[in-house]
Amino acid sequence: HDVLSAYNANIAPFTFAVRESSDDNIETDVTLVENNVPIENKGAGMQCFIKTELSLKRASNGIDVILIEEPENHLSYTKVLELIDKIRGDENRQIFITTHSDLIATRLNLKKCILLNSLDFNVVKLDMLNDDTADFFMKAPDNNMLQFVLSKKTILVEGDAEFILMEALYNRTKGKPLEKSGIGVIVVDGKCFKRYLEIAK
């Protein structure tokens, strides 16, 4: 325990602890603990959250680049918002995040996003996006950026009624369900037609 105390000072409120077991194995017996609960008993989402938080803390000791893969995994909506706040507050280093989360992509600023779609080899950067549009998506409570990026084509409709009618119209016109077409339909409620159109350009 004395050996671990020097490390514990750097990771508060977490501490290292040694598991109680009959076989001594330093690789499997050292665990991370918060409020007397080992990390492996906190659930997959909290493990991701804690590991990301520790990576950001560790980076303050001279690490210039952090790579984070899909930090949203197993996290609730409110925990993702908390994580975004921690990432946003981190400065003086470059953070690369891969994500499938609309929330993370938009709240961390679309202008800093590089969009990839496995159906297409083009890489899209949004650094030329209007500040107004980037700010809009940072504040918007709901958006469908991932669907917009990953669909072959996208139809923007006014509201829920148009959304329902679009499926029937497409089926009647093309003779097949809309969901098999690779075309996404996004309800914009009249507020963000121009926002999506700007991204489409």
Side-chain angles (χ1 to χ4, degrees), residues 153-173:
K153 295 184 184 209
T154 304
I155 300 170
L156 303 176
V157 297
E158 177 71 26
D160 293 339
E162 291 82 2
F163 181 86
I164 294 165
L165 289 171
M166 186 54 65
E167 289 193 354
L169 177 65
Y170 188 89
N171 203 352
R172 182 178 230 175
T173 309

Side-chain angles (χ1 to χ4, degrees), residues 86-136:
K86 286 185 181 299
I87 292 169
R88 199 186 276 148
D90 198 72
E91 296 176 354
N92 302 324
R93 68 193 51 82
Q94 193 163 14
I95 302 176
F96 291 91
I97 300 170
T98 59
T99 184
H100 283 97
S101 165
D102 294 316
L103 199 56
I104 288 179
T106 54
R107 293 281 169 113
L108 289 176
N109 195 343
L110 280 173
K111 291 181 75 162
K112 297 178 182 178
C113 283
I114 298 172
L115 308 176
L116 307 170
N117 182 336
S118 60
L119 301 172
D120 190 346
F121 292 110
N122 290 326
V123 174
V124 178
K125 292 175 77 179
L126 296 178
D127 53 341
M128 301 297 285
L129 199 63
N130 185 301
D131 285 340
D132 247 12
T133 296
D135 289 346
F136 173 85

